[in-house]
Amino acid sequence: MQELDYLVIAPHPDDAELGVGGTILALKSQGSRVGVLDLTDGEPTPHGSREIRRTEPEAATQILGLDWRGNLGLPNRSLTADLEARERLAGMLRQLRPRYLFAPYWEDAHPDHVAASALVDAARFWAKLTKTNMPGAPHYPERIFYYFTVHLRIHPRPSFVIDITGHIETKMRAIACYRSQFIEGRSTAPPTILDDLRDRARYWGWTIGVGFGEPFLSREEVGLRGLRDLV
Ligand SMILES: [Zn+2]
């Protein structure tokens, strides 16, 4: 496995695209190595199947230009931040060695998202342990940035917003790969789910005075070397 600069950890295939899709594209355009690890296959859902849920992320991965994508094979709907899951995820972190992690925000109506958030916190710590049977060498990702794919109608209070103005169309194409989740069986009357997602990206862009944005929260303080990259 080749080492990554950034690893997005997603409870289900599509969460990475929804919460971090534009930022993945921005980071890729700056030459970073970016991967996505889906924790579950996301099934069952009303219009999906195991086969469909395998091919949809493959198509989105091509559009995002990811350097790596994997699936940890944990159980959808009953995802738990237990010791076995923690060890498996920590083992992946030790092999992929990302400098930074993206994890789902911890407050959510979806229990899988809550569990995934807690699991990333725990696995980040476990990945640095010595004298274990986990693969790879000890590794501690420097930061966790939490993204918002939240099933609660709450207003996030992000630490920062990334400008994704140049990447919104590609992000929307990546999301549209998930036909079984956002298009099949859904109302075509506006605003559609895709309209809604785009409008929210527009809102976050407005908050920082650009076209489109994605919000992130850091529990630890974010340090800057200067102010040149502020938008
Ligand atoms: Zn999800």
Side-chain angles (χ1 to χ4, degrees):
M1 282 184 196
Q2 284 190 293
E3 297 187 6
L4 298 171
D5 299 308
Y6 299 88
L7 178 65
V8 182
I9 298 169
H12 312 107
D14 72 18
D15 285 314
E17 285 79 2
L18 293 172
V20 198
T23 299
I24 289 172
L25 290 159
L27 294 171
K28 284 298 305 165
S29 74
Q30 294 161 10
S32 296
R33 292 182 49 77
V34 187
V36 170
L37 176 60
D38 300 310
L39 297 178
T40 75
D41 68 2
E43 280 303 297
T45 56
H47 302 284
S49 68
R50 286 229 145 75
E51 175 59 16
I52 290 170
R53 295 307 291 279
R54 192 179 57 74
T55 56
E56 287 175 342
E58 284 175 5
T61 296
Q62 292 296 319
I63 291 172
L64 293 176
L66 290 173
D67 296 285
W68 183 88
R69 187 165 199 154
N71 192 303
L72 206 56
L74 295 174
N76 182 53
R77 289 190 178 176
S78 49
L79 185 63
T80 323
D82 60 17
L83 283 176
E84 190 196 331
R86 184 192 301 174
E87 183 168 357
R88 277 165 71 177
L89 179 54
M92 290 299 288
L93 298 182
R94 292 159 70 102
Q95 294 172 82
L96 295 165
R97 312 189 74 72
R99 187 168 177 193
Y100 303 107
L101 298 177
F102 289 96
Y105 180 54
W106 55 84
E107 185 184 357
D108 201 321
H110 197 321
D112 281 359
H113 285 219
V114 176
S117 193
L119 183 57
V120 176
D121 290 340
R124 177 205 193 194
F125 192 85
W126 257 38
K128 73 175 180 177
L129 298 181
T130 57
K131 301 178 183 172
T132 79
N133 293 323
M134 289 184 283
H139 177 67
Y140 189 67
E142 291 174 29
R143 291 274 190 281
I144 302 179
F145 302 125
Y146 299 89
Y147 59 87
F148 296 93
T149 51
V150 179
H151 298 68
L152 284 172
R153 293 181 190 274
I154 54 175
H155 187 84
R157 296 288 301 171
S159 307
F160 58 89
V161 177
I162 298 283
D163 178 4
I164 63 160
T165 306
H167 305 287
I168 184 64
E169 302 307 335
T170 313
K171 170 179 174 157
M172 295 312 298
R173 279 202 293 127
I175 292 174
C177 292
Y178 294 89
R179 287 190 60 84
S180 71
Q181 304 303 300
F182 305 120
I183 298 171
E184 308 280 354
R186 299 280 190 175
S187 168
T188 54
T192 63
I193 290 185
L194 294 178
D195 293 335
D196 178 59
L197 292 166
R198 189 187 170 91
D199 289 348
R200 277 191 272 165
R202 168 70 194 114
Y203 171 76
W204 286 110
W206 171 81
T207 66
I208 58 168
V210 303
F212 296 88
E214 281 174 347
F216 296 95
L217 193 147
S218 177
R219 197 182 260 150
E220 299 171 301
E221 299 301 339
V222 175
L224 300 172
R225 287 220 169 73
L227 298 174
R228 263 192 325 195
D229 281 344
L230 289 189
V231 296

